[in-house]
């Protein structure tokens, strides 16, 4: 009987230890690429909200724009991009979006049908930037491959900026 009690205690202790390790490994961890915010946009009457967004500043001298804001759906280790802004700076103010091929400030958007649309006109307004967070609004006319235009509007609040 004493042997049974020792084995049962050992098995229970082992089960408890494994349960604790499993819980610790599956417990949600803070993800600094996610914001405690939201990024919301409306296109063709449909509104989307996501917390899978980030902004980043790349090193100077690269051939891509150094100031980008990205929002989309979560993938395993990344963001499936839906909206990408490339801007000339993150300073508070208005940034005019123009045709993708020639503009200094650009928008790239993937609509609900999976089509790529480019911003042709409109504005991104950055209303706050500091403490590694950026906030603003946007209203942009986008164009699809068939040259049909539509309006894309939205807001982003406290998006985490990666340097």
């Amino acid at each position: 009987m004493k042997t049974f009690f020792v084995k049962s205690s050992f098995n229970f202790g082992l089960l408890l230890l494994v349960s604790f390790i499993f819980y610790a490994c599956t417990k949600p961890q803070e993800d600094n690429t996610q914001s405690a915010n939201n990024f919301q946009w409306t296109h063709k009457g449909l509104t989307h909200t996501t917390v899978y967004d980030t902004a980043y500043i790349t090193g100077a001298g690269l051939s891509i724009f150094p100031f980008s804001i990205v929002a989309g759906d979560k993938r395993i280790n990344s963001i499936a991009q839906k909206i990408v802004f490339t801007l000339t700076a993150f300073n508070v103010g208005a940034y005019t979006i123009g045709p993708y091929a020639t503009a200094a400030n650009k928008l790239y958007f993937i609509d609900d049908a999976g089509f790529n649309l480019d911003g042709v006109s409109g504005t991104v307004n950055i209303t706050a930037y500091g403490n590694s967070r950026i906030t603003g609004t946007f209203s942009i006319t986008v164009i699809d491959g068939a040259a049909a235009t539509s309006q894309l509007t939205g807001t982003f609040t406290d998006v985490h900026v990666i340097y």
Side-chain angles (χ1 to χ4, degrees), residues 12-24:
F12 178 73
L14 183 60
L15 179 63
L16 189 61
L17 177 64
V18 169
S19 297
F20 175 75
I21 291 171
F22 178 76
Y23 173 76

Side-chain angles (χ1 to χ4, degrees), residues 29-35 53-54 132-133 159-162:
Q29 301 295 316
E30 181 179 339
D31 181 354
N32 287 332
T33 62
Q34 291 183 27
S35 306
D53 50 48
T54 193
S132 297
R133 300 285 176 177
V159 172
H160 184 255
V161 178
I162 300 171

Side-chain angles (χ1 to χ4, degrees), residues 55-101:
Y56 57 92
I57 300 174
T58 60
L62 297 177
S63 61
I64 60 171
F65 285 98
F67 300 93
S68 299
I69 301 170
V70 180
D73 301 319
K74 183 165 175 71
R75 291 282 166 95
I76 293 173
N77 289 317
S78 65
I79 296 173
Q81 298 176 356
K82 296 289 278 181
I83 294 178
V84 178
F85 291 106
T86 56
L87 305 174
T88 54
F90 279 166
N91 298 327
V92 171
Y95 295 83
T96 301
I97 299 294
Y100 200 80

Side-chain angles (χ1 to χ4, degrees), residues 4 21 27-28 30 33 45 48-49 65 70 75 79 92 100-102 109 115 122 129 147-148 150 156 161 163:
F4 175 76
I21 291 171
K27 181 178 164 188
E30 181 179 339
T33 62
H48 300 277
T49 301
F65 285 98
V70 180
R75 291 282 166 95
I79 296 173
V92 171
Y100 200 80
T102 60
F109 173 63
F115 294 110
Y129 173 55
S150 53
F156 50 96
V161 178
Y163 297 93

Side-chain angles (χ1 to χ4, degrees), residues 35-158:
S35 306
N37 65 318
N38 71 56
F39 194 117
Q40 185 175 54
W41 67 92
T42 300
H43 181 248
K44 294 186 176 180
L46 297 173
T47 300
H48 300 277
T49 301
T50 183
V51 295
Y52 298 105
D53 50 48
T54 193
Y56 57 92
I57 300 174
T58 60
L62 297 177
S63 61
I64 60 171
F65 285 98
F67 300 93
S68 299
I69 301 170
V70 180
D73 301 319
K74 183 165 175 71
R75 291 282 166 95
I76 293 173
N77 289 317
S78 65
I79 296 173
Q81 298 176 356
K82 296 289 278 181
I83 294 178
V84 178
F85 291 106
T86 56
L87 305 174
T88 54
F90 279 166
N91 298 327
V92 171
Y95 295 83
T96 301
I97 299 294
Y100 200 80
T102 60
N105 299 300
K106 305 175 186 207
L107 165 81
Y108 172 76
F109 173 63
I110 300 175
D111 70 6
D112 291 328
F115 294 110
N116 300 328
L117 287 76
D118 293 330
V120 292
S121 65
T123 305
V124 175
N125 291 300
I126 296 178
T127 57
Y129 173 55
N131 297 325
S132 297
R133 300 285 176 177
I134 191 166
T135 297
T137 62
F138 55 93
S139 180
I140 313 244
T141 300
V142 293
I143 190 167
D144 64 17
T149 60
S150 53
Q151 196 67 22
L152 175 69
T153 60
T155 62
F156 50 96
T157 307
D158 288 336

